[in-house]
Amino acid sequence: MLTRIVALLPHHRKRIRQVAQLLIVGFENHWPGYWTDLGSGLAEVKESFAKDRISRVALDERGDVLGWIGGISQYEGHVWELHPIVVDPGRQGQGIGRALMVNFEEQVRLRGGLTILLGSDDEDDMTTLAGIDLYPDPLVHLARIENRRGHPFEFYQKLGYSLVGVVPDANGWGKPDILMAKRVQPAPVG
């Protein structure tokens, strides 16, 4: 059971290793090649400790990692890029990802951020955007997107994120990056 979400810090050696391992298993099925070994996972986690980053973990009652979320400041802190989010595959569908996202949004608000931006790749035909030529009108295809096999864009939509763009061929021909965003501060009145 999820007990809390806390900052992941450089001295949390056990948690850092758990996050690195989670990156490997969490991305291997649909996004192979991202983090293929412990070294690449550890390198990603260590990058998350930079000054312009957010790094948060969801922990169970024993203090073991259930999920991780990271963010990178962009546009002088007005926009924060979500990168990455991962939940233990055996614990997905239990609200852990949602809790991480809500916590991340609060962290961005506390830092004065206005918008969260994320990219969610489709490298294995999970949506109708994959495996086709999106040119000359990528936004027409984006407007008609359908989820074929559990792509996470619908998870983000349920949390209030909007489809804001698509990068055709971002990961090779027919493998787009789907861009989504959400405002986390109220718009100015008047």
Side-chain angles (χ1 to χ4, degrees), residues 2 6 8 46 55 89 103 110:
L2 171 67
V6 298
L8 181 63
K46 287 177 184 173
S55 185
N103 186 275
L110 290 171

Side-chain angles (χ1 to χ4, degrees), residues 69-124:
I69 194 165
I72 306 166
S73 176
Q74 306 283 341
Y75 299 95
E76 299 180 3
H78 298 292
V79 175
W80 282 78
E81 177 188 357
L82 185 152
H83 176 78
I85 182 171
V86 63
V87 173
D88 180 335
R91 302 295 299 268
Q92 291 177 0
Q94 298 177 16
I96 297 165
R98 175 180 289 278
L100 282 165
M101 293 292 292
V102 169
N103 186 275
F104 180 72
E105 291 171 10
E106 181 61 21
Q107 296 301 312
V108 169
R109 273 192 291 279
L110 290 171
R111 289 164 173 82
L114 304 174
T115 295
I116 294 173
L117 175 69
L118 65 91
S120 190
D121 297 322
D122 185 357
E123 294 193 35
D124 63 348

Side-chain angles (χ1 to χ4, degrees), residues 7-132:
L8 181 63
L9 301 171
H11 67 274
H12 295 154
R13 293 179 192 262
K14 179 182 174 188
R15 291 178 186 164
I16 290 168
R17 190 172 185 85
Q18 289 175 337
V19 168
Q21 292 169 330
L22 194 54
L23 284 170
I24 297 165
V25 299
F27 282 80
E28 68 185 348
N29 287 336
H30 296 292
W31 301 277
Y34 280 74
W35 297 284
T36 57
D37 56 39
L38 190 59
S40 62
L42 288 170
E44 181 68 36
V45 177
K46 287 177 184 173
E47 286 180 17
S48 77
F49 299 134
K51 181 182 173 197
D52 62 343
R53 300 282 187 111
I54 295 172
S55 185
R56 310 283 290 174
V57 286
L59 304 174
D60 67 12
E61 63 278 351
R62 295 182 322 238
D64 289 328
V65 173
L66 300 172
W68 179 52
I69 194 165
I72 306 166
S73 176
Q74 306 283 341
Y75 299 95
E76 299 180 3
H78 298 292
V79 175
W80 282 78
E81 177 188 357
L82 185 152
H83 176 78
I85 182 171
V86 63
V87 173
D88 180 335
R91 302 295 299 268
Q92 291 177 0
Q94 298 177 16
I96 297 165
R98 175 180 289 278
L100 282 165
M101 293 292 292
V102 169
N103 186 275
F104 180 72
E105 291 171 10
E106 181 61 21
Q107 296 301 312
V108 169
R109 273 192 291 279
L110 290 171
R111 289 164 173 82
L114 304 174
T115 295
I116 294 173
L117 175 69
L118 65 91
S120 190
D121 297 322
D122 185 357
E123 294 193 35
D124 63 348
D125 299 320
M126 294 176 76
T127 73
T128 53
L129 299 182
I132 63 170

